[in-house]
Amino acid sequence: MADAKKLYIKTYGCQMNVYDSERMAETLGGQGYVETKTPDDADMILLNTCHIREKAAEKIYSELGRYKGLKADKPDLKIGVAGCVAQAEGEEIMRRQPMVDLVVGPQSYHRLPAMEEAVAKGGKALDTDFPEEDKFEHLKSRPKAKRGPTAFLTVQEGCDKFCAFCVVPYTRGAEVSRPVERILTEARDLVERGVREITLLGQNVNAYHGAGPDGDMTLAQLIWALDEIDGLERIRFTTSHPNDMDDALIEAHGSCSKLMPYLHLPVQSGSDRILKAMNRKHTAQDYLRVIERIRAARPDILLSGDFIVGFPCETDQDFEDTMALVEAVEYGQAYSFKYSTRPGTPAAEKPQIDDGLATERLHRLQELLWTQQRCIQDNMVGREVSVLFEKPGRLAGQMGGKSEYLHAVHVDDAPVERGDIRKVKIVGSEKNSLRGAMI
Ligand code: 5AD
Ligand code: SF4
């Protein structure tokens, strides 16, 4: 393909954006594009954006500014903005940066071919609808290219929970689950192409309720259906809401051997007062009870969470309640953020707390979370884990992969191939990874 056009995609934010970027690259492959790793030789630059926290739009405008020189040198260069900033800003993007040719919201990616044709003819294309049809249905994946051992697979998108701080229900829209058969077909295709571990994605993945042969199926039922695919060895899912952890899903953690012992279950705060103000619809005690049940089903599960500090009106006591919840749970992994105002969300109207105080609290929380993570990681030393090897390490002969607990593990002189799953003994704990030896 000597005359293939080159596409540079820059992805921001969550794993769902990573998945969407892959699908967009495949779709634009059908329009004659191949991916390139640098914007310098691109014929199209596509920014797949995230709007979850502060200054997201400003960052995109300044990133776009950096492409001005490229566009001046190559007037045929097409520049597009996709993702949640595209959804939130819409036409404003083209007003502020007239060099942008294409703006596409996360629910309209199946319309990219027509949009690309419009911009190829020198026009502009903008689509931030929430159309009825499934955006994945028409994305023809096409060349059966070999894949790495791990892949994401979106099963559910959007959210109806409306947490008071969050833009997702506005940028990704209402909750929609993909039908079971389509997910199974995509999973089988991935496995044929070399994938051994699939992470099911959804903003509210455990609220999954996709159409199956005999009515709607839950996430637990979907996991059991995926469990039957030969060659698929590992299943993960993210991100879950505590209120949607049903009995069957908890039970699957104990009985489905392909379901990995790792759960990302955000709680956001440990204070009932703040949880109420956040519209989370559960208490700290409800969350702790869910954790207790999960640990009863799978005692060695590694837990991960998300936290927001400095939510409007958060008092010292509210913050101490969060610290106490973290002490009670013991997280192996966590993400913590200072609250940032998202225009259009209910919390944006509330009186904000002092920024310096919020920063101080964030540091204290992060220190505690970090100590817990270290402790859990260090305690892996001496244990046997199974590692899915993904890629060569930094040193010659070294191979790296992930344990079932999602710890990065590297092994020196590992006689293994990419995609192998092997028993490994953990012999050391380093800053961001574990050192293992083959058994
Ligand atoms: N401010 C700070 N953090 C936020 N998150 C979502 N919205 C905000 C916000 N306005 C965090 C939550 C969520 C994660 C994906 O991002 O913790 O779980
Ligand atoms: Fe946002 Fe998650 Fe709350 Fe939905 S459940 S509104 S995605 S934080």
Side-chain angles (χ1 to χ4, degrees):
M1 266 209 287
D3 59 349
K5 294 174 284 183
K6 293 200 175 131
L7 169 70
Y8 172 72
I9 303 192
K10 183 162 179 174
T11 306
Y12 298 79
C14 64
Q15 293 156 328
M16 194 174 285
N17 269 7
V18 174
Y19 176 86
D20 283 348
S21 290
E22 288 168 7
R23 298 290 80 70
M24 287 194 277
E26 286 176 353
T27 303
L28 289 168
Q31 306 291 114
Y33 282 90
V34 293
E35 267 195 273
T36 168
K37 296 263 174 265
T38 138
D40 302 327
D41 64 350
D43 298 288
M44 181 185 284
I45 295 173
L46 197 52
L47 304 182
N48 190 8
T49 62
C50 170
H51 202 238
I52 196 95
R53 278 175 296 274
E54 216 155 20
K55 301 200 185 85
E58 290 315 311
K59 275 189 210 148
I60 296 306
Y61 286 118
S62 78
E63 178 76 15
L64 286 169
R66 293 211 237 144
Y67 300 133
K68 271 205 175 115
L70 279 179
K71 182 100 173 179
D73 292 345
K74 195 195 234 180
D76 275 347
L77 170 67
K78 305 298 176 199
I79 297 184
V81 181
C84 292
V85 173
Q87 188 65 42
E89 295 276 295
E91 307 180 59
E92 178 65 15
I93 296 178
M94 287 176 176
R95 239 193 318 267
R96 276 184 63 175
Q97 283 287 7
M99 65 174 189
V100 171
D101 304 283
L102 182 155
V103 173
V104 59
Q107 300 314 320
S108 302
Y109 296 152
H110 53 296
R111 295 178 176 168
L112 267 176
M115 296 176 79
E116 191 278 329
E117 278 161 29
V119 300
K121 288 186 194 132
K124 299 255 179 194
L126 175 113
D127 197 331
T128 52
D129 283 354
F130 287 103
E132 284 289 304
E133 71 264 39
D134 178 351
K135 77 174 185 191
F136 300 106
E137 191 179 0
H138 310 281
L139 295 183
K140 300 276 179 280
S141 155
R142 314 53 335 208
K144 295 263 175 200
K146 195 102 180 99
R147 304 259 320 211
T150 65
F152 296 128
L153 200 175
T154 293
V155 303
Q156 177 279 338
E157 207 175 340
C159 182
D160 295 340
K161 297 265 191 307
F162 290 94
C163 296
F165 51 81
C166 186
V167 286
V168 165
Y170 311 96
T171 58
R172 292 275 170 169
E175 203 185 300
V176 179
S177 294
R178 297 176 68 197
V180 172
E181 199 43 55
R182 237 175 262 159
I183 294 166
L184 295 178
T185 303
E186 191 168 328
R188 286 187 208 104
D189 175 64
L190 287 169
V191 170
E192 271 172 35
R193 291 157 70 183
V195 170
R196 307 200 74 193
E197 171 181 303
I198 291 181
T199 302
L200 307 175
L201 297 180
Q203 266 99 23
N204 235 251
V205 72
N206 59 340
Y208 177 84
H209 54 96
D214 308 307
D216 278 5
M217 278 166 68
T218 63
L219 184 64
Q221 289 170 314
L222 178 67
I223 287 168
W224 283 111
L226 287 161
D227 180 69
E228 288 181 18
I229 298 178
D230 285 339
L232 176 61
E233 305 296 341
R234 291 175 154 198
I235 303 168
R236 304 180 185 276
F237 61 89
T238 195
T239 289
S240 299
H241 191 287
N243 290 357
D244 294 316
M245 286 306 299
D246 64 31
D247 292 345
L249 187 56
I250 291 174
E251 203 265 326
H253 278 283
S255 52
C256 178
S257 59
K258 291 187 183 178
L259 187 57
M260 293 293 101
Y262 179 101
L263 179 68
H264 181 60
L265 195 63
V267 64
Q268 315 297 354
S269 168
S271 151
D272 289 345
R273 214 176 63 83
I274 295 296
L275 287 169
K276 193 163 193 318
M278 284 177 165
N279 192 31
R280 290 287 294 180
K281 300 197 174 81
H282 62 78
T283 63
Q285 201 52 45
D286 295 335
Y287 179 83
L288 291 172
R289 258 197 299 270
V290 172
I291 298 289
E292 204 176 295
R293 286 164 56 218
I294 293 162
R295 282 205 164 122
R298 181 79 203 224
D300 62 337
I301 198 160
L302 190 142
L303 293 165
S304 153
D306 290 349
F307 298 88
I308 297 178
V309 301
F311 188 78
C313 307
E314 185 188 69
T315 62
D316 284 341
Q317 185 55 52
D318 293 322
F319 176 67
E320 294 309 327
D321 290 349
T322 299
M323 294 290 278
L325 179 137
V326 172
E327 295 274 11
V329 174
E330 297 187 28
Y331 289 92
Q333 166 73 30
Y335 305 88
S336 50
F337 314 98
K338 191 160 69 171
Y339 169 73
S340 73
T341 312
R342 305 285 68 213
T345 59
E349 312 296 321
K350 300 274 167 57
Q352 308 296 312
I353 79 158
D354 178 72
D355 189 62
L357 184 60
T359 304
E360 216 177 284
R361 287 179 185 161
L362 183 64
H363 287 160
R364 266 190 67 202
L365 174 63
Q366 289 184 334
E367 205 152 307
L368 174 60
L369 289 166
W370 182 240
T371 309
Q372 293 189 342
Q373 279 173 54
R374 280 255 46 105
C375 181
I376 288 176
Q377 194 189 298
D378 292 348
N379 280 340
M380 297 305 296
V381 176
R383 281 181 60 182
E384 246 178 55
V385 297
S386 90
V387 174
L388 168 54
F389 287 95
E390 291 171 39
K391 52 177 190 273
R394 267 173 290 134
L395 305 176
Q398 208 178 52
M399 280 289 278
K402 296 274 165 54
S403 77
E404 54 272 65
Y405 307 103
L406 213 53
H407 283 125
V409 179
H410 60 267
V411 177
D412 295 332
D413 304 316
V416 294
E417 305 272 316
R418 220 174 159 209
D420 284 350
I421 297 177
R422 292 287 157 75
K423 286 266 175 249
V424 166
K425 180 162 180 161
I426 300 302
V427 294
S429 173
E430 287 160 12
K431 188 152 177 273
N432 292 311
S433 65
L434 292 166
R435 198 149 32 84
M438 304 304 296
I439 294 176

